């Protein structure tokens, strides 16, 4: 009989989750492993667990299918991150329950596809005897132990496409259009899409902004004959000396992370008030999380999934697959969850954007 491995997708969804599942199932089958999938993240491991028995046949079309056929959850019993740097201990009784399921099913290892929150839970679960292999997922690209998480490339592509479209309408009407993108406490999506999509101002959490600096940029463009301005703002961006903008719903509780958002509208209103320009806001939201992964995304998902199976074959547990340069390597999960990867305000990408005249709202006037 084949040995068995388990897989679950946890945290917010993103493009490419199914492509990872497919790679694990296929590479697993060629390595003599039967893959069982748990539904709804870690909750699916609680007894009575009813995992999905995967085989090749069920993987048709999965390379390009958005979302996750296993479902995912970023709230509930298994929520280990409630804010930047905050870590919560998941109830040990629940962890023991999930570990019992793992043992009863005779699993050799569990592949956890998730971001820092999910990998933090996985790390806690490993203390109950579960052999974990992690795959780094999140559109935010904020895991320090990898050069890229899967989902990021597709989210950037979606945001860039939105900027291309907004460019033409902003230009036609001579407007300021503010595009709010996701990214939590990191500005990677805003930075990459802002540069690729020809943004004029990019606001990210790592570089607090001032109104004067943003409006100076808008007016400088106006004087040079450019009557329109595209502003890309990361949901976690904030005014110098200010705070991040959050949704005023009772979800900033112990069982989930605080919900960021709303800064786009704030920025648009203030620009309109100070410059007299006609402004509009677009919140890209979950469009960044949906749909098929890009070509680069599919490739990364496939490589990550296959590498995860290779780690299981080698008996290397407590590890996460990771991209370093062009190579897939592995790093201890303990290290992967230690630090959030944030944009370096003095890094090459920011400096090169500034050299092109892109404003970050930090210029002293
Ligand atoms: O971490 C991924 C992410 O999409 C963030 O960019 C965003 O802040 C958050 O999840 C939104 O989560 P939810 O699915 O709860 O709206």
């Amino acid at each position: 009989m084949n040995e068995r491995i388990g897989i679950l997708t946890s945290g917010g969804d993103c493009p490419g989750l199914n492509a990872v599942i497919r790679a694990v199932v296929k590479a697993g089958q060629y390595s003599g492993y039967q893959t069982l999938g748990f539904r709804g993240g870690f909750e699916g491991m609680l007894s009575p667990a009813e995992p999905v028995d995967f085989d090749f046949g069920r993987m048709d079309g999965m390379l390009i299918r958005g979302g996750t056929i296993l479902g995912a959850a970023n709230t509930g019993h298994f929520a280990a991150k409630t804010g930047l740097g905050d870590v919560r201990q998941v109830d040990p009784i629940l962890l023991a329950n999930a570990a019992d399921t793992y043992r009863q099913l005779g699993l050799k290892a569990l592949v956890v596809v998730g971001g820092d929150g999910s990998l933090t839970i996985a790390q806690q679960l490993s203390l109950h005897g579960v052999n974990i292999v992690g795959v780094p997922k999140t559109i935010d690209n904020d895991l320090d132990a990898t050069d890229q998480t899967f989902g990021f490339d597709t989210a950037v592509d979606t945001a860039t496409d939105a900027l291309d479209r907004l460019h033409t309408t902003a230009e036609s009407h001579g407007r300021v259009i503010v595009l709010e993108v996701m990214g939590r406490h990191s500005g990677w999506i805003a930075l990459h899409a802002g540069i690729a999509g020809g943004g004029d101002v990019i606001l990210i959490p790592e570089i607090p902004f001032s109104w004067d600096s943003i409006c100076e940029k808008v007016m400088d463009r106006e004087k040079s004959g450019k009557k329109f301005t595209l502003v890309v703002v990361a949901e976690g961006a904030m005014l110098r000396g200010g705070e991040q903008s959050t949704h005023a719903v009772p979800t900033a509780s112990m069982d989930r992370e605080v919900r960021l958002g709303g800064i786009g509208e704030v920025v648009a209103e203030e620009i309109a008030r100070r410059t007299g320009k006609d402004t509009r806001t677009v919140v890209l939201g979950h469009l960044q999380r949906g749909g098929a992964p890009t070509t680069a995304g599919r490739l990364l998902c496939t490589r990550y999934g296959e590498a995860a199976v290779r780690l299981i074959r080698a008996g290397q547990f407590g590890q996460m697959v990771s991209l370093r340069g062009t190579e897939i390597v592995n790093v201890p999960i303990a290290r992967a969850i230690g630090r959030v990867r944030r944009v370096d305000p003095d890094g090459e990408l920011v400096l090169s954007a500034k050299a092109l005249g892109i404003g970050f709202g930090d210029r002293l006037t």
Side-chain angles (χ1 to χ4, degrees):
M1 192 183 102
N2 280 348
E3 281 188 291
R4 287 168 149 185
I5 60 176
I7 186 167
L8 60 83
T9 54
S10 169
D13 69 345
C14 81
L17 285 161
N18 289 323
V20 173
I21 294 172
R22 169 184 177 271
V24 169
V25 170
K26 292 189 86 165
Q29 202 151 324
Y30 280 117
S31 298
Y33 299 133
Q34 175 64 26
T35 305
L36 300 186
F38 294 99
R39 293 193 185 89
F42 291 93
E43 305 271 345
M45 292 187 76
L46 296 177
S47 61
E50 287 173 1
V52 191
D53 206 343
F54 282 137
D55 63 32
F56 262 57
R58 292 191 68 160
M59 293 300 113
D60 290 351
M62 290 305 144
L63 192 54
I64 58 170
R65 183 159 152 186
T68 162
I69 52 170
L70 283 174
N74 57 2
T75 57
H77 300 110
F78 289 90
K81 284 277 173 91
T82 50
L84 185 60
D86 300 332
V87 177
R88 175 180 164 230
Q89 173 62 51
V90 175
D91 184 348
I93 296 176
L94 293 177
L95 291 171
N97 184 321
D100 278 348
T101 299
Y102 169 90
R103 273 185 286 277
Q104 278 160 19
L105 292 170
L107 299 180
K108 179 184 168 91
L110 176 70
V111 178
V112 174
V113 188
D116 62 338
S118 308
L119 294 172
T120 301
I121 302 165
Q123 183 71 1
Q124 294 178 10
L125 188 57
S126 73
L127 303 178
H128 291 256
V130 175
N131 295 329
I132 304 281
V133 169
V135 179
K137 165 239 70 163
T138 167
I139 63 165
D140 305 336
N141 204 28
D142 61 354
L143 279 183
D144 190 50
T146 180
D147 288 351
Q148 201 173 121
T149 55
F150 78 85
F152 174 65
D153 186 71
T154 309
V156 169
D157 211 49
T158 302
T160 304
D161 179 58
L163 280 169
D164 290 346
R165 291 165 192 275
L166 293 174
H167 203 129
T168 56
T169 175
E171 189 168 17
S172 305
H173 289 269
R175 282 175 172 156
V176 176
I177 299 195
V178 178
L179 176 69
E180 180 184 308
V181 298
M182 285 183 166
R184 237 187 262 281
H185 306 290
S186 298
W188 294 108
I189 298 176
L191 180 61
H192 281 235
I195 295 173
D200 306 300
V201 177
I202 300 174
L203 305 176
I204 57 176
E206 295 86 346
I207 306 179
F209 61 81
S210 79
W211 296 123
D212 284 348
S213 173
I214 297 172
C215 295
E216 185 191 42
K217 181 78 200 167
V218 172
M219 295 322 287
D220 278 355
R221 284 178 57 78
E222 191 85 5
K223 279 183 219 138
S224 73
K226 305 259 187 211
K227 304 289 180 202
F228 73 101
T229 297
L230 281 182
V231 180
V232 188
V233 54
E235 63 180 0
M238 63 194 135
L239 188 64
R240 199 176 295 150
E243 284 181 1
Q244 286 175 322
S245 174
T246 57
H247 286 287
V249 286
T251 49
S253 61
M254 283 304 282
D255 72 347
R256 65 153 298 141
E257 280 205 58
V258 68
R259 260 186 78 200
L260 297 174
I263 187 68
E265 194 56 37
V266 174
V267 169
E269 276 177 15
E270 195 61 23
I271 293 175
R273 202 178 67 76
R274 289 176 177 244
T275 65
K277 293 284 299 173
D278 200 15
T279 63
R280 295 290 185 274
T281 316
V282 173
V283 180
L284 201 51
H286 294 79
L287 286 171
Q288 293 157 98
R289 298 237 303 254
T294 56
T295 306
R298 292 174 206 183
L299 192 57
L300 188 60
C301 291
T302 305
R303 294 175 76 196
Y304 274 162
E306 186 277 326
V309 172
R310 231 180 315 131
L311 283 179
I312 295 173
R313 264 202 332 257
Q316 283 188 272
F317 305 121
Q319 299 285 312
M320 182 190 85
V321 295
S322 151
L323 182 72
R324 278 295 180 223
T326 56
E327 300 287 305
I328 301 288
V329 297
N330 50 286
V331 292
I333 291 177
R335 187 167 114 46
I337 57 181
R339 255 184 49 197
V340 172
R341 198 169 89 92
R342 306 189 78 196
V343 173
D344 176 1
D346 300 314
E348 182 265 328
L349 216 46
V350 172
L351 296 184
S352 129
K354 283 184 172 176
L356 292 178
I358 297 175
F360 283 81
D362 60 338
R363 221 174 83 99
L364 296 173
T365 51

